[in-house]
Amino acid sequence: MGVHSAAEQVLAGLDPEQRTAVTAPAGPVCVLAGAGTGKTRAVTSRIAHRALTGAISPRHVLAVTFTARAAAEMRARLTALGVAGVQARTFHAAALRQMRYFAPRLLHGRALPELLDSKVRLVTLAAARAGLRTDRAAARDLAGEIEWAKSSLVEPGEYVVAAAKAQRDTPHEPAKVAEVFAAYETVKRANGVIDFEDLLRAAVWGIEEHPDVAEQIRAQYRHFVVDEYQDVNPLQQRLLDAWLGGRDDLTVVGDASQTIYSFTGATSAYLVDFPRRHRGATVVRLVRDYRSTPQVVGLANAVIAQARGSEARLRLELVGQRPTGPEPELRIFTDEPTEATAVATRCRQLVAAGTPAREIAVLFRTNAQSEAYEKSLTEAGVPYVVQGAERFFERVEVRQAMVALRAATRSIPGETPLPAAVVEALAAVGWAPDAPPAGGAVRERWEALAALVQLAEEYAATPPVLPIGEGAAVERPVTLAAFTEELHRRAAQQHVPTVDGVTLASLHSAKGLEWDAVFLVGLAEGTLPTGYAKTPEQVEEERRLLYVGITRARQWLWLSYASARSPGGRNRRPSRFLPQLDRTGGSERAGAGPVPRAERRRNVVVSCRICGATLLAGGDRKLGRCPTCPSDVDEDLLERLRDWRQRVAGTQRVPAYVVFTDATLTALAERRPGRPEELIAIAGIGPRKLGLYGESVLALVGGATVDAICPKESLENPS
Ligand code: ATP
Ligand code: MG
């Protein structure tokens, strides 16, 4: 394919507004748009289009985002568009790389100090110096406060004023927090370590105070892209400004309704003010949601419609573009283990029905919720991957496998097909194609190595992608040696292959990603919103978290919570953010405000007789089971009941549903009640209907024909 047709191909996959963003001339571009509208697609396409038309070199692009997985996603999309060599990283990873490189020069030959991955231990020491005894939770609160201050460019001496201005809900007297903050800085320096904010500050300092470093970095990076720009904090913005050095080839994309890191100092103000800060910027708004079904989009709109505050002013109503899909399911369980078991069962059903496990995610508010799901998925035999767990290429077995592969390039004959050669090489580290039972460390290890085999298969199957801007195009040989090279290259870039398992992740880390099926679990007051959310702003951020979660789903969405943590435990209320999904079973009623009185009386608990979940939707309650639980309906009986209903309705000159609704008929045909007590237990049948129709229905269940119960004549002759 010629370079120009490849560029045209990129444009062909876009709508007119996206195309405006992609083809805008060099200079500031801002895409303000809702979830799933193709923001990430637009920025990656802009990079690809500019690279493929020769306007820029991919090596001069720095694309930043906020999670490692989102950065990996950007790299994967760029590769798919045929562009190699772009740096796509988190702010931290980009700063770390630059500082490692420049440390010898900036620190007079010393290496970069060790990076702290948690502040908690040193904060505990610092608090003790300030006369505070702290447990882990208290130390975590203080650490969070210090992180906010440092990300907001606030020094210990400025903390008291800054905290008051920002109306911080401080864990202690502000002066005390400032004292702990100052002590923390001292303790940290004494330990010879730096934290994540120090790393970003060092990068800023390196550029701002060292013209030679600035010049080198700015010569390297000339075109900047920031995805998820609504979550940038003042420190990161300062680094971005330092990279730019007054230049303006910057594309930002974001959605204020997805601001979920303001507790760490992030603010959507930079996104919102971008057009003012950059006069003449190309500003694009997108509303078509390409990711999710109209059902999921409807719920997302309903949830965010309730939002208040500054982020809410910019929200746009999403318009679903995909075909109709299933209604989101809202389920209540008695306790968390039951909830986790039901989720695992449903995951297994989805996988059995053909949804790959890697296209399923279970998302929760806090990492501590993960364990119950690890356990239930293990029991259900469903493979899973815990996000935020060890990085793929850093896993011991993967490193061993890479060594084995390299050794095998010398021993395995060159003509062996690549996948077979990889399987043979992995035998050296004890891997065999038969999967051990799901769950547990052994399976996890097997899955990681299976991912390497899968990569080899993909490598052998896809035609070579010609790197653009990296010199002449080269033929790519499909050999074990070439593949091993490719793996090492990927490891260097942290290009993680997808391990086939259900993703277990926090809502925060799910940002920017998407799955066919998404389970949002633990949606109870105290968990979402977390009990720590006290101010209206904090509560709004929790609402946006739910919005982020909902908008991750392409097709299936499940929302659930457990009334109690453990069996027999204290009762909890459902999350205040959940709209009333029930009744009509349609999302058109979602978010319609308070529950009308007539519907409140229906708070009698009805459980699914197959899985035990509490049923909320009117139709499901009548059915007596979740619409997705296996049905055991007696089709012949249902047919006869329908016939009978039609005749009765005709006789009485009323619509059929006045006699019995479809849901009641289905429930009758499933449960086949033999006695009046069983009849009246079915939702939709009260004493009156029992008196009117009980005898007929019991006869039909007993096998009677419709003609025997209500002869045809009665239709013509209603007297
Ligand atoms: P988020 O706010 O969650 O980060 P986003 O706005 O970045 O979402 P993308 O991830 O870029 O959205 O796109 C969502 C999905 O829609 C992706 O699967 C993408 O490939 C698809 N998509 C985007 N634009 C189009 C389009 N014009 N035609 C078809 N599919 C599209
Ligand atoms: Mg995105």
mmCIF file of all heavy atoms in Angstrom, residues 591-635:
data_model
loop_
_atom_site.group_PDB
_atom_site.id
_atom_site.type_symbol
_atom_site.label_atom_id
_atom_site.label_comp_id
_atom_site.label_asym_id
_atom_site.label_seq_id
_atom_site.Cartn_x
_atom_site.Cartn_y
_atom_site.Cartn_z
ATOM 1 N N GLY A 591 -33.036 7.057 35.538
ATOM 2 C CA GLY A 591 -32.695 8.378 36.033
ATOM 3 C C GLY A 591 -33.879 9.308 36.117
ATOM 4 O O GLY A 591 -33.735 10.519 36.176
ATOM 5 N N ALA A 592 -35.089 8.769 36.123
ATOM 6 C CA ALA A 592 -36.260 9.622 36.092
ATOM 7 C C ALA A 592 -36.603 10.219 37.454
ATOM 8 O O ALA A 592 -37.728 10.609 37.693
ATOM 9 C CB ALA A 592 -37.439 8.856 35.536
ATOM 10 N N GLY A 593 -35.647 10.274 38.350
ATOM 11 C CA GLY A 593 -35.890 10.950 39.618
ATOM 12 C C GLY A 593 -36.420 10.023 40.682
ATOM 13 O O GLY A 593 -36.221 8.816 40.603
ATOM 14 N N PRO A 594 -37.093 10.604 41.696
ATOM 15 C CA PRO A 594 -37.506 9.784 42.814
ATOM 16 C C PRO A 594 -38.522 8.729 42.395
ATOM 17 O O PRO A 594 -39.227 8.884 41.397
ATOM 18 C CB PRO A 594 -38.144 10.788 43.777
ATOM 19 C CG PRO A 594 -38.262 12.072 43.062
ATOM 20 C CD PRO A 594 -37.491 12.006 41.800
ATOM 21 N N VAL A 595 -38.581 7.679 43.162
ATOM 22 C CA VAL A 595 -39.475 6.579 42.843
ATOM 23 C C VAL A 595 -40.909 6.994 43.143
ATOM 24 O O VAL A 595 -41.215 7.406 44.253
ATOM 25 C CB VAL A 595 -39.130 5.355 43.716
ATOM 26 C CG1 VAL A 595 -39.934 4.152 43.277
ATOM 27 C CG2 VAL A 595 -37.650 5.082 43.647
ATOM 28 N N PRO A 596 -41.805 6.910 42.172
ATOM 29 C CA PRO A 596 -43.195 7.249 42.444
ATOM 30 C C PRO A 596 -43.774 6.347 43.533
ATOM 31 O O PRO A 596 -43.380 5.184 43.636
ATOM 32 C CB PRO A 596 -43.895 6.986 41.107
ATOM 33 C CG PRO A 596 -42.820 6.921 40.086
ATOM 34 C CD PRO A 596 -41.583 6.484 40.798
ATOM 35 N N ARG A 597 -44.758 6.900 44.281
ATOM 36 C CA ARG A 597 -45.266 6.153 45.422
ATOM 37 C C ARG A 597 -45.778 4.776 45.037
ATOM 38 O O ARG A 597 -45.499 3.782 45.689
ATOM 39 C CB ARG A 597 -46.377 6.947 46.101
ATOM 40 C CG ARG A 597 -47.066 6.075 47.150
ATOM 41 C CD ARG A 597 -48.045 6.828 47.934
ATOM 42 N NE ARG A 597 -47.344 7.939 48.612
ATOM 43 C CZ ARG A 597 -47.996 8.889 49.221
ATOM 44 N NH1 ARG A 597 -49.297 8.886 49.246
ATOM 45 N NH2 ARG A 597 -47.343 9.840 49.814
ATOM 46 N N ALA A 598 -46.534 4.715 43.920
ATOM 47 C CA ALA A 598 -47.133 3.437 43.533
ATOM 48 C C ALA A 598 -46.079 2.361 43.391
ATOM 49 O O ALA A 598 -46.348 1.190 43.558
ATOM 50 C CB ALA A 598 -47.873 3.594 42.212
ATOM 51 N N GLU A 599 -44.837 2.764 43.104
ATOM 52 C CA GLU A 599 -43.814 1.764 42.882
ATOM 53 C C GLU A 599 -43.058 1.442 44.157
ATOM 54 O O GLU A 599 -42.365 0.454 44.240
ATOM 55 C CB GLU A 599 -42.864 2.250 41.791
ATOM 56 C CG GLU A 599 -43.568 2.105 40.447
ATOM 57 C CD GLU A 599 -43.007 2.992 39.381
ATOM 58 O OE1 GLU A 599 -42.155 3.828 39.711
ATOM 59 O OE2 GLU A 599 -43.442 2.858 38.238
ATOM 60 N N ARG A 600 -43.210 2.337 45.138
ATOM 61 C CA ARG A 600 -42.456 2.102 46.363
ATOM 62 C C ARG A 600 -42.981 0.912 47.139
ATOM 63 O O ARG A 600 -42.260 0.253 47.840
ATOM 64 C CB ARG A 600 -42.485 3.353 47.234
ATOM 65 C CG ARG A 600 -41.134 4.029 47.269
ATOM 66 C CD ARG A 600 -41.170 5.207 48.159
ATOM 67 N NE ARG A 600 -41.490 6.395 47.391
ATOM 68 C CZ ARG A 600 -41.972 7.512 47.931
ATOM 69 N NH1 ARG A 600 -42.220 7.587 49.210
ATOM 70 N NH2 ARG A 600 -42.216 8.544 47.179
ATOM 71 N N ARG A 601 -44.312 0.670 46.996
ATOM 72 C CA ARG A 601 -44.856 -0.441 47.772
ATOM 73 C C ARG A 601 -44.299 -1.764 47.294
ATOM 74 O O ARG A 601 -44.466 -2.786 47.910
ATOM 75 C CB ARG A 601 -46.380 -0.430 47.705
ATOM 76 C CG ARG A 601 -46.918 -0.819 46.357
ATOM 77 C CD ARG A 601 -48.419 -0.641 46.284
ATOM 78 N NE ARG A 601 -48.847 -0.341 44.930
ATOM 79 C CZ ARG A 601 -48.954 -1.264 43.990
ATOM 80 N NH1 ARG A 601 -48.678 -2.511 44.232
ATOM 81 N NH2 ARG A 601 -49.341 -0.928 42.782
ATOM 82 N N ARG A 602 -43.639 -1.735 46.157
ATOM 83 C CA ARG A 602 -43.137 -2.995 45.641
ATOM 84 C C ARG A 602 -41.775 -3.353 46.213
ATOM 85 O O ARG A 602 -41.002 -4.054 45.606
ATOM 86 C CB ARG A 602 -43.072 -2.944 44.124
ATOM 87 C CG ARG A 602 -44.409 -2.559 43.531
ATOM 88 C CD ARG A 602 -44.405 -2.677 42.052
ATOM 89 N NE ARG A 602 -43.147 -2.203 41.509
ATOM 90 C CZ ARG A 602 -42.470 -2.887 40.628
ATOM 91 N NH1 ARG A 602 -42.880 -4.051 40.249
ATOM 92 N NH2 ARG A 602 -41.358 -2.399 40.162
ATOM 93 N N ASN A 603 -41.503 -2.813 47.384
ATOM 94 C CA ASN A 603 -40.190 -3.140 47.927
ATOM 95 C C ASN A 603 -40.160 -4.492 48.637
ATOM 96 O O ASN A 603 -39.254 -4.784 49.388
ATOM 97 C CB ASN A 603 -39.653 -2.015 48.806
ATOM 98 C CG ASN A 603 -40.597 -1.691 49.918
ATOM 99 O OD1 ASN A 603 -41.572 -2.420 50.119
ATOM 100 N ND2 ASN A 603 -40.332 -0.610 50.624
ATOM 101 N N VAL A 604 -41.209 -5.304 48.396
ATOM 102 C CA VAL A 604 -41.174 -6.679 48.874
ATOM 103 C C VAL A 604 -40.066 -7.372 48.080
ATOM 104 O O VAL A 604 -39.976 -7.207 46.871
ATOM 105 C CB VAL A 604 -42.512 -7.381 48.554
ATOM 106 C CG1 VAL A 604 -42.499 -8.791 49.068
ATOM 107 C CG2 VAL A 604 -43.671 -6.577 49.091
ATOM 108 N N VAL A 605 -39.237 -8.127 48.778
ATOM 109 C CA VAL A 605 -38.112 -8.748 48.078
ATOM 110 C C VAL A 605 -38.562 -9.957 47.269
ATOM 111 O O VAL A 605 -39.227 -10.846 47.777
ATOM 112 C CB VAL A 605 -37.012 -9.157 49.080
ATOM 113 C CG1 VAL A 605 -35.926 -9.933 48.363
ATOM 114 C CG2 VAL A 605 -36.467 -7.928 49.757
ATOM 115 N N VAL A 606 -38.260 -9.951 45.985
ATOM 116 C CA VAL A 606 -38.513 -11.118 45.148
ATOM 117 C C VAL A 606 -37.154 -11.591 44.646
ATOM 118 O O VAL A 606 -36.377 -10.802 44.124
ATOM 119 C CB VAL A 606 -39.421 -10.762 43.942
ATOM 120 C CG1 VAL A 606 -39.621 -11.983 43.059
ATOM 121 C CG2 VAL A 606 -40.754 -10.226 44.431
ATOM 122 N N SER A 607 -36.869 -12.878 44.834
ATOM 123 C CA SER A 607 -35.561 -13.387 44.424
ATOM 124 C C SER A 607 -35.690 -14.280 43.206
ATOM 125 O O SER A 607 -36.715 -14.931 43.011
ATOM 126 C CB SER A 607 -34.934 -14.200 45.551
ATOM 127 O OG SER A 607 -34.907 -13.418 46.709
ATOM 128 N N CYS A 608 -34.623 -14.318 42.442
ATOM 129 C CA CYS A 608 -34.575 -15.220 41.290
ATOM 130 C C CYS A 608 -34.538 -16.647 41.811
ATOM 131 O O CYS A 608 -33.716 -16.974 42.662
ATOM 132 C CB CYS A 608 -33.329 -14.933 40.452
ATOM 133 S SG CYS A 608 -33.003 -16.189 39.201
ATOM 134 N N ARG A 609 -35.468 -17.492 41.300
ATOM 135 C CA ARG A 609 -35.484 -18.844 41.866
ATOM 136 C C ARG A 609 -34.353 -19.691 41.321
ATOM 137 O O ARG A 609 -34.115 -20.796 41.765
ATOM 138 C CB ARG A 609 -36.854 -19.496 41.636
ATOM 139 C CG ARG A 609 -37.126 -19.978 40.262
ATOM 140 C CD ARG A 609 -38.606 -20.198 40.082
ATOM 141 N NE ARG A 609 -39.043 -19.420 38.940
ATOM 142 C CZ ARG A 609 -38.830 -19.829 37.690
ATOM 143 N NH1 ARG A 609 -38.235 -20.964 37.452
ATOM 144 N NH2 ARG A 609 -39.213 -19.089 36.688
ATOM 145 N N ILE A 610 -33.610 -19.172 40.354
ATOM 146 C CA ILE A 610 -32.491 -19.954 39.828
ATOM 147 C C ILE A 610 -31.165 -19.540 40.465
ATOM 148 O O ILE A 610 -30.418 -20.364 40.967
ATOM 149 C CB ILE A 610 -32.450 -19.855 38.295
ATOM 150 C CG1 ILE A 610 -33.688 -20.609 37.761
ATOM 151 C CG2 ILE A 610 -31.190 -20.505 37.729
ATOM 152 C CD1 ILE A 610 -34.187 -20.163 36.456
ATOM 153 N N CYS A 611 -30.903 -18.207 40.528
ATOM 154 C CA CYS A 611 -29.600 -17.811 41.096
ATOM 155 C C CYS A 611 -29.723 -17.088 42.431
ATOM 156 O O CYS A 611 -28.718 -16.826 43.085
ATOM 157 C CB CYS A 611 -28.822 -16.940 40.110
ATOM 158 S SG CYS A 611 -29.468 -15.271 40.004
ATOM 159 N N GLY A 612 -30.931 -16.724 42.846
ATOM 160 C CA GLY A 612 -31.084 -16.120 44.168
ATOM 161 C C GLY A 612 -30.925 -14.612 44.208
ATOM 162 O O GLY A 612 -31.067 -14.006 45.262
ATOM 163 N N ALA A 613 -30.672 -13.970 43.082
ATOM 164 C CA ALA A 613 -30.508 -12.514 43.088
ATOM 165 C C ALA A 613 -31.842 -11.835 43.356
ATOM 166 O O ALA A 613 -32.891 -12.368 43.010
ATOM 167 C CB ALA A 613 -29.992 -12.052 41.728
ATOM 168 N N THR A 614 -31.780 -10.672 44.002
ATOM 169 C CA THR A 614 -33.000 -9.903 44.201
ATOM 170 C C THR A 614 -33.399 -9.288 42.865
ATOM 171 O O THR A 614 -32.579 -8.741 42.145
ATOM 172 C CB THR A 614 -32.757 -8.798 45.233
ATOM 173 O OG1 THR A 614 -32.361 -9.425 46.437
ATOM 174 C CG2 THR A 614 -34.023 -7.986 45.461
ATOM 175 N N LEU A 615 -34.687 -9.398 42.543
ATOM 176 C CA LEU A 615 -35.136 -8.902 41.249
ATOM 177 C C LEU A 615 -35.770 -7.538 41.400
ATOM 178 O O LEU A 615 -36.590 -7.318 42.288
ATOM 179 C CB LEU A 615 -36.137 -9.892 40.648
ATOM 180 C CG LEU A 615 -35.573 -11.296 40.465
ATOM 181 C CD1 LEU A 615 -36.683 -12.261 40.055
ATOM 182 C CD2 LEU A 615 -34.458 -11.295 39.430
ATOM 183 N N LEU A 616 -35.387 -6.618 40.558
ATOM 184 C CA LEU A 616 -35.908 -5.259 40.642
ATOM 185 C C LEU A 616 -36.875 -4.940 39.524
ATOM 186 O O LEU A 616 -37.877 -4.286 39.720
ATOM 187 C CB LEU A 616 -34.749 -4.262 40.598
ATOM 188 C CG LEU A 616 -33.847 -4.316 41.821
ATOM 189 C CD1 LEU A 616 -32.693 -3.365 41.638
ATOM 190 C CD2 LEU A 616 -34.626 -3.974 43.069
ATOM 191 N N ALA A 617 -36.579 -5.384 38.317
ATOM 192 C CA ALA A 617 -37.420 -5.022 37.183
ATOM 193 C C ALA A 617 -38.768 -5.709 37.300
ATOM 194 O O ALA A 617 -38.855 -6.882 37.679
ATOM 195 C CB ALA A 617 -36.741 -5.419 35.883
ATOM 196 N N GLY A 618 -39.831 -4.961 36.972
ATOM 197 C CA GLY A 618 -41.179 -5.492 37.094
ATOM 198 C C GLY A 618 -41.333 -6.815 36.368
ATOM 199 O O GLY A 618 -41.826 -7.795 36.927
ATOM 200 N N GLY A 619 -40.889 -6.849 35.126
ATOM 201 C CA GLY A 619 -41.024 -8.054 34.324
ATOM 202 C C GLY A 619 -40.284 -9.229 34.939
ATOM 203 O O GLY A 619 -40.790 -10.352 34.988
ATOM 204 N N ASP A 620 -39.089 -8.960 35.466
ATOM 205 C CA ASP A 620 -38.284 -10.028 36.073
ATOM 206 C C ASP A 620 -38.969 -10.560 37.329
ATOM 207 O O ASP A 620 -38.941 -11.757 37.615
ATOM 208 C CB ASP A 620 -36.895 -9.516 36.468
ATOM 209 C CG ASP A 620 -36.128 -8.945 35.295
ATOM 210 O OD1 ASP A 620 -36.636 -9.046 34.171
ATOM 211 O OD2 ASP A 620 -35.036 -8.399 35.520
ATOM 212 N N ARG A 621 -39.588 -9.638 38.079
ATOM 213 C CA ARG A 621 -40.248 -10.060 39.316
ATOM 214 C C ARG A 621 -41.401 -10.992 38.996
ATOM 215 O O ARG A 621 -41.630 -11.982 39.679
ATOM 216 C CB ARG A 621 -40.721 -8.835 40.101
ATOM 217 C CG ARG A 621 -39.555 -8.033 40.682
ATOM 218 C CD ARG A 621 -40.001 -6.652 41.091
ATOM 219 N NE ARG A 621 -40.879 -6.657 42.249
ATOM 220 C CZ ARG A 621 -40.474 -6.393 43.495
ATOM 221 N NH1 ARG A 621 -39.222 -6.124 43.742
ATOM 222 N NH2 ARG A 621 -41.324 -6.410 44.484
ATOM 223 N N LYS A 622 -42.131 -10.676 37.935
ATOM 224 C CA LYS A 622 -43.244 -11.553 37.552
ATOM 225 C C LYS A 622 -42.720 -12.904 37.100
ATOM 226 O O LYS A 622 -43.254 -13.947 37.437
ATOM 227 C CB LYS A 622 -44.035 -10.914 36.421
ATOM 228 C CG LYS A 622 -44.971 -9.860 36.945
ATOM 229 C CD LYS A 622 -46.042 -9.570 35.936
ATOM 230 C CE LYS A 622 -47.046 -8.592 36.560
ATOM 231 N NZ LYS A 622 -47.694 -7.780 35.558
ATOM 232 N N LEU A 623 -41.641 -12.844 36.338
ATOM 233 C CA LEU A 623 -41.034 -14.055 35.818
ATOM 234 C C LEU A 623 -40.476 -14.912 36.948
ATOM 235 O O LEU A 623 -40.448 -16.128 36.878
ATOM 236 C CB LEU A 623 -39.891 -13.634 34.889
ATOM 237 C CG LEU A 623 -39.465 -14.540 33.770
ATOM 238 C CD1 LEU A 623 -40.662 -14.839 32.885
ATOM 239 C CD2 LEU A 623 -38.380 -13.840 32.949
ATOM 240 N N GLY A 624 -40.035 -14.255 38.001
ATOM 241 C CA GLY A 624 -39.481 -14.977 39.131
ATOM 242 C C GLY A 624 -38.047 -15.413 38.907
ATOM 243 O O GLY A 624 -37.493 -16.224 39.632
ATOM 244 N N ARG A 625 -37.407 -14.904 37.856
ATOM 245 C CA ARG A 625 -35.997 -15.198 37.631
ATOM 246 C C ARG A 625 -35.400 -14.068 36.801
ATOM 247 O O ARG A 625 -36.133 -13.271 36.217
ATOM 248 C CB ARG A 625 -35.810 -16.528 36.901
ATOM 249 C CG ARG A 625 -36.404 -16.542 35.501
ATOM 250 C CD ARG A 625 -35.957 -17.725 34.691
ATOM 251 N NE ARG A 625 -36.703 -17.834 33.468
ATOM 252 C CZ ARG A 625 -36.428 -17.147 32.356
ATOM 253 N NH1 ARG A 625 -35.421 -16.303 32.336
ATOM 254 N NH2 ARG A 625 -37.166 -17.288 31.277
ATOM 255 N N CYS A 626 -34.083 -14.010 36.766
ATOM 256 C CA CYS A 626 -33.432 -13.018 35.928
ATOM 257 C C CYS A 626 -33.692 -13.404 34.474
ATOM 258 O O CYS A 626 -33.706 -14.594 34.161
ATOM 259 C CB CYS A 626 -31.922 -13.009 36.138
ATOM 260 S SG CYS A 626 -31.448 -13.036 37.841
ATOM 261 N N PRO A 627 -33.876 -12.415 33.616
ATOM 262 C CA PRO A 627 -34.164 -12.766 32.214
ATOM 263 C C PRO A 627 -33.047 -13.581 31.596
ATOM 264 O O PRO A 627 -33.243 -14.306 30.621
ATOM 265 C CB PRO A 627 -34.303 -11.408 31.525
ATOM 266 C CG PRO A 627 -33.809 -10.389 32.478
ATOM 267 C CD PRO A 627 -33.846 -10.970 33.852
ATOM 268 N N THR A 628 -31.852 -13.480 32.174
ATOM 269 C CA THR A 628 -30.710 -14.176 31.586
ATOM 270 C C THR A 628 -30.444 -15.533 32.224
ATOM 271 O O THR A 628 -29.608 -16.272 31.748
ATOM 272 C CB THR A 628 -29.469 -13.302 31.736
ATOM 273 O OG1 THR A 628 -29.511 -12.712 33.029
ATOM 274 C CG2 THR A 628 -29.437 -12.219 30.681
ATOM 275 N N CYS A 629 -31.136 -15.829 33.335
ATOM 276 C CA CYS A 629 -30.945 -17.156 33.921
ATOM 277 C C CYS A 629 -31.692 -18.159 33.038
ATOM 278 O O CYS A 629 -32.683 -17.817 32.395
ATOM 279 C CB CYS A 629 -31.473 -17.184 35.349
ATOM 280 S SG CYS A 629 -30.221 -16.653 36.517
ATOM 281 N N PRO A 630 -31.192 -19.398 33.006
ATOM 282 C CA PRO A 630 -31.796 -20.364 32.079
ATOM 283 C C PRO A 630 -33.287 -20.537 32.344
ATOM 284 O O PRO A 630 -33.730 -20.604 33.481
ATOM 285 C CB PRO A 630 -31.020 -21.650 32.351
ATOM 286 C CG PRO A 630 -30.279 -21.414 33.619
ATOM 287 C CD PRO A 630 -30.098 -19.947 33.762
ATOM 288 N N SER A 631 -34.076 -20.553 31.298
ATOM 289 C CA SER A 631 -35.516 -20.687 31.423
ATOM 290 C C SER A 631 -35.891 -22.152 31.309
ATOM 291 O O SER A 631 -35.307 -22.896 30.542
ATOM 292 C CB SER A 631 -36.172 -19.892 30.301
ATOM 293 O OG SER A 631 -37.492 -20.357 30.107
ATOM 294 N N ASP A 632 -36.902 -22.563 32.101
ATOM 295 C CA ASP A 632 -37.353 -23.953 31.986
ATOM 296 C C ASP A 632 -38.840 -23.936 31.645
ATOM 297 O O ASP A 632 -39.641 -24.644 32.208
ATOM 298 C CB ASP A 632 -37.075 -24.707 33.297
ATOM 299 C CG ASP A 632 -37.359 -23.844 34.506
ATOM 300 O OD1 ASP A 632 -37.930 -22.744 34.323
ATOM 301 O OD2 ASP A 632 -37.028 -24.263 35.631
ATOM 302 N N VAL A 633 -39.173 -23.054 30.710
ATOM 303 C CA VAL A 633 -40.579 -22.864 30.370
ATOM 304 C C VAL A 633 -41.139 -24.071 29.604
ATOM 305 O O VAL A 633 -40.458 -24.669 28.783
ATOM 306 C CB VAL A 633 -40.731 -21.549 29.576
ATOM 307 C CG1 VAL A 633 -40.029 -21.636 28.246
ATOM 308 C CG2 VAL A 633 -42.169 -21.167 29.399
ATOM 309 N N ASP A 634 -42.391 -24.407 29.941
ATOM 310 C CA ASP A 634 -43.101 -25.482 29.246
ATOM 311 C C ASP A 634 -43.802 -24.840 28.056
ATOM 312 O O ASP A 634 -44.843 -24.190 28.198
ATOM 313 C CB ASP A 634 -44.098 -26.110 30.238
ATOM 314 C CG ASP A 634 -44.946 -27.200 29.605
ATOM 315 O OD1 ASP A 634 -45.089 -27.198 28.361
ATOM 316 O OD2 ASP A 634 -45.469 -28.032 30.365
ATOM 317 N N GLU A 635 -43.212 -25.029 26.876
ATOM 318 C CA GLU A 635 -43.689 -24.295 25.699
ATOM 319 C C GLU A 635 -45.137 -24.635 25.337
ATOM 320 O O GLU A 635 -45.913 -23.763 24.970
ATOM 321 C CB GLU A 635 -42.782 -24.577 24.487
ATOM 322 C CG GLU A 635 -41.366 -24.023 24.616
ATOM 323 C CD GLU A 635 -41.314 -22.500 24.658
ATOM 324 O OE1 GLU A 635 -42.322 -21.845 24.279
ATOM 325 O OE2 GLU A 635 -40.268 -21.961 25.083
#
